[in-house]
Amino acid sequence: MPKINPLPPEALTWLAVWPGVRGLTIGAAQLARRLQEDGHTMFAMAHEEHAIDRLRHREGITPIWARPEAMPIDPCQFDVVFCHQSFHHFDAPRTLSEVARVLRPGGCFSASYVVRDDSVPWVRRLTALLRHYDPMAMRGEYGHDSLEAIDACKYFPEVEHRAFRIWQTISLPDLQQLVASQPLSRNLTESQAARLRDEVRDLFEHAVRPGENLKLPFQLLAWRAWVNHDELTAPVAPPETGISIDV
């Protein structure tokens, strides 16, 4: 099945806020590469050794081996901290405190998730079809609910939200593969699986003109949160010698 482009240029520009920023990504090495290609000075944090090894071979990106709950970084080092599709993997209060500490005054925490958009009629019909077989099908647990912690965080009193629409072209074989990859498919008998394939083909053929493909919609949900250091327990100030990162 073809992969979608989860970071369209207009969304990447919105998340980066300014041209030529000094930025840090947490848990999103691919995002660091995209931002570096767009002219930003990038540092990329990962807590897995294999991810750090891949980043060491990427010219123009400084890797940092750490978790975002405990960053080995001096205060006020970055214009923007980015987190894509991974915030739910971290302890939100500790991560947000650390992100606030390493942002410069007026800096921004930009977080995002790609989620399926179920508002399109044919997607609603597909969801209803699959839930005949499994009521939990296509529930869409992406982890994006974790971003609500940003809205409630005292270190980020001003938060902006945007949603960017992304379309993925999907053929009948792609759609059949998508359905086959659902957990419910493992529990179907052979006859049930055959009937479901026929039903998916009928849905596809009634949703498009002959010879055309469907468009599977996604949304990139994006948060920009502006830091306020007044609420931090300890005062923060950039070191006199400039940026200093212990790795």
Side-chain angles (χ1 to χ4, degrees):
M1 187 170 176
K3 293 183 178 180
I4 64 169
N5 173 12
L7 295 167
E10 63 274 17
L12 202 64
T13 298
W14 191 82
L15 289 167
V17 189
W18 305 282
V21 302
R22 181 186 294 273
L24 169 71
T25 60
I26 55 177
Q30 180 183 3
L31 178 57
R33 290 192 289 270
R34 286 287 308 278
L35 289 163
Q36 188 266 334
E37 290 167 357
D38 280 0
H40 303 289
T41 300
M42 293 308 303
F43 297 75
M45 180 176 293
H47 61 277
E48 296 174 331
E49 187 173 3
H50 66 84
I52 289 294
D53 287 341
R54 287 198 300 269
L55 286 166
R56 286 196 177 105
H57 300 292
R58 180 75 184 194
E59 185 177 354
I61 298 176
T62 302
I64 303 171
W65 191 359
R67 287 191 62 88
E69 297 94 339
M71 298 187 190
I73 300 172
D74 285 332
C76 303
Q77 296 300 306
F78 301 107
D79 303 312
V80 185
V81 175
F82 302 86
C83 185
H84 178 64
Q85 213 77 14
S86 58
F87 188 68
H88 62 289
H89 293 304
F90 310 126
D91 179 276
R94 292 169 59 195
T95 296
L96 290 170
S97 175
E98 284 289 87
V99 169
R101 184 180 64 82
V102 302
L103 281 170
R104 67 166 176 80
C108 182
F109 178 42
S110 292
S112 53
Y113 277 85
V114 174
V115 303
R116 192 182 62 245
D117 182 354
D118 293 342
S119 65
V120 174
W122 79 261
V123 178
R124 292 202 301 268
R125 293 197 296 272
L126 177 64
T127 300
L129 171 60
L130 297 186
R131 287 181 184 170
H132 280 302
Y133 295 87
D134 180 358
M136 299 303 294
M138 294 183 71
R139 287 294 178 185
E141 298 295 334
Y142 304 100
H144 59 292
D145 290 345
S146 62
L147 295 182
E148 294 175 2
I150 302 173
D151 295 316
C153 182
K154 62 184 178 181
Y155 308 133
F156 298 95
E158 182 182 347
V159 183
E160 299 176 77
H161 307 129
R162 277 197 63 179
F164 297 86
R165 178 66 65 85
I166 306 168
W167 294 97
Q168 178 186 13
T169 300
I170 184 167
S171 65
L172 177 57
D174 292 333
L175 185 59
Q176 297 282 20
Q177 181 183 340
L178 174 66
V179 171
S181 69
Q182 296 291 309
L184 69 88
S185 295
R186 296 194 293 266
N187 301 319
L188 299 179
T189 66
E190 187 174 340
S191 62
Q192 287 175 325
R195 185 172 73 246
L196 179 57
R197 285 193 297 271
D198 290 341
E199 291 171 332
V200 170
R201 183 174 60 251
D202 289 343
L203 183 152
F204 183 93
E205 291 174 350
H206 283 87
V208 298
R209 298 185 181 91
E212 294 185 356
N213 290 320
L214 286 172
K215 295 287 188 180
L216 182 59
F218 291 84
Q219 284 188 322
L220 177 73
L221 304 179
W223 265 240
R224 291 198 311 198
W226 304 92
V227 71
N228 185 327
H229 289 148
D230 293 345
E231 295 291 340
L232 288 175
T233 303
V236 298
E240 294 181 1
T241 55
I243 188 164
S244 174
I245 296 181
D246 300 321
V247 296

